[in-house]
Amino acid sequence: MNKPVKFLIIRFSSIGDIVLTTPVIRCLKEQYPNAEVHFVVKKKFRQVVEHNPYIDQLHLLDNNLKELVATFKNEHFDYIIDLHKTLRSYLLRFRLRRPTLTFRKLSVEKLIMNRFHVDFLPKGIHIVERNLKSLEPLGVKNDHKPVDYFISPEEEVPLSELPVLHQKGYVAFVIGGQHFTKKLPAEKIINICRTIDKPIILLGGPEDAAVAKIVAEACDEKIYDACGKYSLNQSVSLLKSARSVIAHDTGLMHISGAFNKPIVSVWGGTSAEHFGVWPYLNTRQVIAEVKGLSCHPCSNFGLSACPQKHFKCMREQDEDLIAGSAVSMFNETSLTE
């Protein structure tokens, strides 16, 4: 029997970025003979990949790199695939001293785009494709399938647990986002929800509960506020059952691709097109972005405040486009299911 070839894939954070590495995991496992795939992630992001069947062993970083290095030295990896490329991942690679494959992070090009708005970034290339390109020396090819996301049966939220109004279909509105410049103001969310004549479930974490409460109180019973009431994977279950989705540039937006959800992705300070991070392979999607702003994009991660103070990238979003697209997709999905 041939000895397994052992791979360590590094992606410590965050939810969306981890999800965008899943085609690498799948293609490596399916195409490379005797692949034994190990994956390392920060402990708080364990849920994102803990049920992934293409991962043979999951390792968790809990701020103790020294302990992780000791564990990995006993594994004798054949290759390290660094899909994060931070100081911490570099230190891990340096201490293990194994053959390493990496992706093009384009940090300099992104910095120039954000600061000077001069575009040297590759056009039309998704970050999933850049991740997969790192495997070319191994002969592994893009299978042109969506990202993966797996949850356990115990994490599935039965539709019967939802309000009666929502049991026959709803729009999932992911109102969360890691940074201020990635999120619509509350009044914009309220206006969009009022325009949508369908049941709506608000998705987000505990940090989004205050805004969700304001939105729910401003609208009628068509709003079901699920923010902070479910685990990440339970929220994914609710996303999976939605007829259509509205989402900021956030983890659940990228997860929508695993289920080919019809989606309206809403972009503020970040840019889907420039940074190659639109919903990957969603066959029905609308990108809501304010065009013609000389200050856009201002960041590839998001910022705590608008550098120009006007926040036009979100305040000038077309509410009718967002609401109308979500309703249209909802109706189309209802007819085809």
Side-chain angles (χ1 to χ4, degrees):
M1 181 180 292
N2 292 333
K3 177 180 176 292
V5 182
K6 297 179 75 170
F7 298 93
L8 173 64
I9 301 174
I10 303 172
R11 183 70 221 194
F12 296 128
S13 63
S14 53
I15 295 173
D17 295 305
I18 296 167
V19 170
L20 293 173
T21 68
T22 57
V24 167
I25 303 168
R26 180 184 65 242
C27 288
L28 191 62
K29 188 68 177 176
E30 289 187 338
Q31 298 178 37
Y32 211 82
N34 303 313
E36 182 178 315
V37 178
H38 294 236
F39 194 93
V40 59
V41 67
K42 284 185 178 179
K43 185 176 181 179
K44 69 176 183 176
F45 297 113
R46 176 178 189 156
Q47 287 185 78
V48 181
V49 285
E50 67 179 341
H51 300 299
N52 190 316
Y54 301 111
I55 296 175
D56 294 293
Q57 190 162 341
L58 181 63
H59 303 272
L60 305 177
L61 173 64
D62 194 13
N63 294 321
N64 191 336
L65 195 63
K66 184 177 180 180
E67 184 177 297
L68 206 57
V69 169
T71 299
F72 287 163
K73 282 189 173 179
N74 292 327
E75 293 289 350
H76 306 291
F77 294 112
D78 294 287
Y79 294 95
I80 296 173
I81 301 168
D82 185 356
L83 299 180
H84 205 145
K85 292 183 76 174
T86 59
L87 176 60
R88 182 175 281 177
S89 69
Y90 173 80
L91 288 173
L92 182 58
R93 289 158 42 194
F94 177 77
R95 293 176 185 177
L96 294 178
R97 298 181 182 275
R98 305 304 302 155
T100 299
L101 303 172
T102 65
F103 78 120
R104 288 187 66 202
K105 195 168 185 177
L106 303 173
S107 297
V108 173
E109 292 89 342
K110 291 176 183 176
L111 178 65
I112 292 172
M113 185 67 210
N114 289 326
R115 187 163 297 180
F116 305 108
H117 302 101
V118 178
D119 190 1
F120 293 115
L121 291 159
K123 306 297 185 293
I125 301 176
H126 199 281
I127 190 172
V128 167
E129 295 165 352
R130 285 195 281 120
N131 285 339
L132 283 163
K133 195 171 180 62
S134 67
L135 302 184
E136 282 187 354
L138 301 175
V140 176
K141 301 182 183 302
N142 188 348
D143 62 5
H144 302 287
K145 294 179 182 179
V147 298
D148 288 319
Y149 202 95
F150 303 93
I151 60 177
S152 68
E154 294 75 25
E155 292 166 320
E156 296 275 359
V157 178
L159 293 179
S160 59
E161 290 187 5
L162 301 177
V164 174
L165 183 63
H166 294 71
Q167 292 179 15
K168 293 184 179 180
Y170 54 85
V171 176
F173 197 153
V174 184
I175 67 168
Q178 192 172 359
H179 301 284
F180 172 84
T181 56
K182 285 187 172 186
K183 296 184 286 187
L184 286 162
E187 61 268 23
K188 298 284 283 187
I189 297 174
I190 291 169
N191 291 340
I192 292 166
C193 289
R194 284 174 172 169
T195 303
I196 294 173
D197 62 347
K198 307 294 180 185
I200 300 168
I201 291 184
L202 303 180
L203 294 178
E207 67 278 8
D208 305 305
V211 171
K213 183 179 179 181
I214 293 170
V215 174
E217 289 176 350
C219 301
D220 54 27
E221 68 276 1
K222 70 181 176 184
I223 298 289
Y224 175 59
D225 174 13
C227 292
K229 298 175 182 176
Y230 295 92
S231 69
L232 170 62
N233 286 351
Q234 287 174 321
S235 295
V236 171
S237 170
L238 293 172
L239 179 78
K240 187 170 70 167
S241 297
R243 297 289 194 185
S244 63
V245 178
I246 303 171
H248 299 135
D249 173 17
T250 188
L252 286 177
M253 180 204 73
H254 292 298
I255 293 169
S256 71
F259 312 109
N260 196 28
K261 289 284 104 177
I263 183 169
V264 184
S265 58
V266 183
W267 299 81
T270 57
S271 171
E273 179 184 0
H274 287 104
F275 302 135
V277 288
W278 57 87
Y280 186 61
L281 295 185
N282 288 58
T283 56
R284 291 173 291 173
Q285 63 172 289
V286 171
I287 294 177
E289 187 175 273
V290 178
K291 301 294 185 181
L293 295 176
S294 60
C295 56
H296 184 263
C298 60
S299 170
N300 47 299
F301 299 114
L303 300 170
S304 59
C306 171
Q308 302 297 321
K309 312 299 182 186
H310 53 61
F311 202 27
K312 288 182 178 180
C313 61
M314 280 303 194
R315 294 196 179 278
E316 294 185 359
Q317 283 282 351
D318 188 336
E319 298 167 6
D320 291 334
L321 171 69
I322 296 169
S325 299
V327 170
S328 176
M329 291 173 173
F330 179 104
N331 290 334
E332 290 170 4
T333 305
S334 297
L335 290 172
T336 57
E337 284 193 345

